[in-house]
Short mmCIF file of all heavy atoms in Angstrom, two decimals:
data_model
loop_
_atom_site.label_atom_id
_atom_site.label_comp_id
_atom_site.label_asym_id
_atom_site.label_seq_id
_atom_site.Cartn_x
_atom_site.Cartn_y
_atom_site.Cartn_z
N GLY A 219 111.82 105.74 89.66
CA GLY A 219 112.64 106.81 89.10
C GLY A 219 111.82 108.04 88.76
O GLY A 219 112.25 109.18 89.02
N VAL A 220 110.63 107.83 88.19
CA VAL A 220 109.75 108.95 87.89
C VAL A 220 109.31 109.64 89.18
O VAL A 220 109.23 110.86 89.25
CB VAL A 220 108.52 108.48 87.08
CG1 VAL A 220 107.50 109.60 86.92
CG2 VAL A 220 108.95 107.98 85.71
N GLY A 221 109.02 108.83 90.21
CA GLY A 221 108.65 109.41 91.49
C GLY A 221 109.74 110.31 92.04
O GLY A 221 109.46 111.42 92.54
N TYR A 222 110.99 109.87 91.94
CA TYR A 222 112.10 110.70 92.39
C TYR A 222 112.20 111.98 91.56
O TYR A 222 112.53 113.05 92.08
CB TYR A 222 113.40 109.91 92.34
CG TYR A 222 113.72 109.21 93.64
CD1 TYR A 222 113.02 108.07 94.03
CD2 TYR A 222 114.71 109.68 94.49
CE1 TYR A 222 113.29 107.43 95.22
CE2 TYR A 222 115.00 109.05 95.70
CZ TYR A 222 114.28 107.92 96.06
OH TYR A 222 114.54 107.30 97.25
N ALA A 223 111.94 111.87 90.26
CA ALA A 223 111.99 113.05 89.39
C ALA A 223 110.91 114.06 89.78
O ALA A 223 111.09 115.27 89.61
CB ALA A 223 111.82 112.64 87.94
N LEU A 224 109.79 113.56 90.31
CA LEU A 224 108.69 114.44 90.73
C LEU A 224 108.92 115.03 92.11
O LEU A 224 108.14 115.88 92.56
CB LEU A 224 107.36 113.66 90.73
CG LEU A 224 106.87 113.15 89.37
CD1 LEU A 224 105.57 112.36 89.54
CD2 LEU A 224 106.68 114.30 88.39
N GLY A 225 109.96 114.59 92.80
CA GLY A 225 110.26 115.13 94.12
C GLY A 225 109.95 114.21 95.28
O GLY A 225 110.21 114.54 96.43
N TRP A 226 109.41 113.02 94.99
CA TRP A 226 109.12 112.05 96.05
C TRP A 226 110.41 111.40 96.51
O TRP A 226 111.34 111.20 95.72
CB TRP A 226 108.16 111.00 95.52
CG TRP A 226 107.97 109.82 96.45
CD1 TRP A 226 107.18 109.77 97.54
CD2 TRP A 226 108.60 108.53 96.33
NE1 TRP A 226 107.26 108.52 98.13
CE2 TRP A 226 108.13 107.75 97.40
CE3 TRP A 226 109.51 107.97 95.43
CZ2 TRP A 226 108.53 106.43 97.60
CZ3 TRP A 226 109.92 106.66 95.62
CH2 TRP A 226 109.43 105.91 96.70
N ARG A 227 110.49 111.05 97.79
CA ARG A 227 111.66 110.39 98.33
C ARG A 227 111.25 109.28 99.29
O ARG A 227 110.34 109.46 100.10
CB ARG A 227 112.56 111.38 99.09
CG ARG A 227 113.20 112.46 98.21
CD ARG A 227 114.20 111.87 97.25
NE ARG A 227 114.86 112.89 96.43
CZ ARG A 227 114.41 113.34 95.27
NH1 ARG A 227 113.27 112.85 94.78
NH2 ARG A 227 115.07 114.25 94.59
N ALA A 228 111.93 108.14 99.19
CA ALA A 228 111.79 107.08 100.18
C ALA A 228 112.67 107.46 101.36
O ALA A 228 113.86 107.72 101.21
CB ALA A 228 112.22 105.74 99.60
N GLN A 229 112.09 107.47 102.56
CA GLN A 229 112.78 108.02 103.72
C GLN A 229 113.17 106.98 104.76
O GLN A 229 113.81 107.31 105.75
CB GLN A 229 111.88 109.07 104.39
CG GLN A 229 111.37 110.13 103.44
CD GLN A 229 110.30 111.00 104.08
OE1 GLN A 229 110.52 111.58 105.14
NE2 GLN A 229 109.13 111.07 103.44
N GLY A 230 112.80 105.74 104.55
CA GLY A 230 112.95 104.75 105.61
C GLY A 230 114.26 104.02 105.67
O GLY A 230 114.44 103.13 106.49
N GLY A 231 115.20 104.32 104.81
CA GLY A 231 116.48 103.63 104.81
C GLY A 231 116.51 102.49 103.82
O GLY A 231 115.48 102.08 103.26
N ALA A 232 117.72 101.94 103.59
CA ALA A 232 117.91 100.91 102.57
C ALA A 232 117.15 99.64 102.89
O ALA A 232 116.54 99.02 102.00
CB ALA A 232 119.41 100.62 102.41
N GLY A 233 117.19 99.20 104.15
CA GLY A 233 116.49 97.97 104.52
C GLY A 233 115.00 98.06 104.31
O GLY A 233 114.37 97.14 103.78
N ALA A 234 114.40 99.19 104.73
CA ALA A 234 112.97 99.40 104.56
C ALA A 234 112.62 99.50 103.08
O ALA A 234 111.58 99.00 102.64
CB ALA A 234 112.52 100.66 105.29
N PHE A 235 113.50 100.14 102.29
CA PHE A 235 113.27 100.27 100.85
C PHE A 235 113.22 98.89 100.20
O PHE A 235 112.30 98.58 99.43
CB PHE A 235 114.38 101.11 100.23
CG PHE A 235 114.21 101.36 98.76
CD1 PHE A 235 113.55 102.49 98.30
CD2 PHE A 235 114.72 100.47 97.82
CE1 PHE A 235 113.39 102.72 96.94
CE2 PHE A 235 114.57 100.68 96.47
CZ PHE A 235 113.90 101.81 96.03
N LEU A 236 114.20 98.05 100.51
CA LEU A 236 114.23 96.71 99.93
C LEU A 236 113.04 95.88 100.41
O LEU A 236 112.50 95.07 99.65
CB LEU A 236 115.54 96.02 100.29
CG LEU A 236 116.81 96.62 99.67
CD1 LEU A 236 118.04 95.90 100.19
CD2 LEU A 236 116.75 96.55 98.14
N GLY A 237 112.63 96.08 101.66
CA GLY A 237 111.46 95.37 102.16
C GLY A 237 110.20 95.76 101.42
O GLY A 237 109.37 94.90 101.09
N ALA A 238 110.05 97.05 101.12
CA ALA A 238 108.89 97.53 100.37
C ALA A 238 108.87 96.94 98.97
O ALA A 238 107.84 96.48 98.48
CB ALA A 238 108.89 99.05 100.32
N VAL A 239 110.03 96.95 98.30
CA VAL A 239 110.12 96.38 96.95
C VAL A 239 109.83 94.88 96.99
O VAL A 239 109.14 94.34 96.11
CB VAL A 239 111.52 96.64 96.35
CG1 VAL A 239 111.70 95.87 95.05
CG2 VAL A 239 111.72 98.13 96.10
N GLY A 240 110.30 94.21 98.04
CA GLY A 240 110.03 92.78 98.18
C GLY A 240 108.55 92.49 98.32
O GLY A 240 108.03 91.54 97.73
#
Side-chain angles (χ1 to χ4, degrees):
V220 172
Y222 268 74
L224 296 178
W226 170 80
R227 295 293 182 271
Q229 307 170 55
F235 182 92
L236 293 176
V239 171

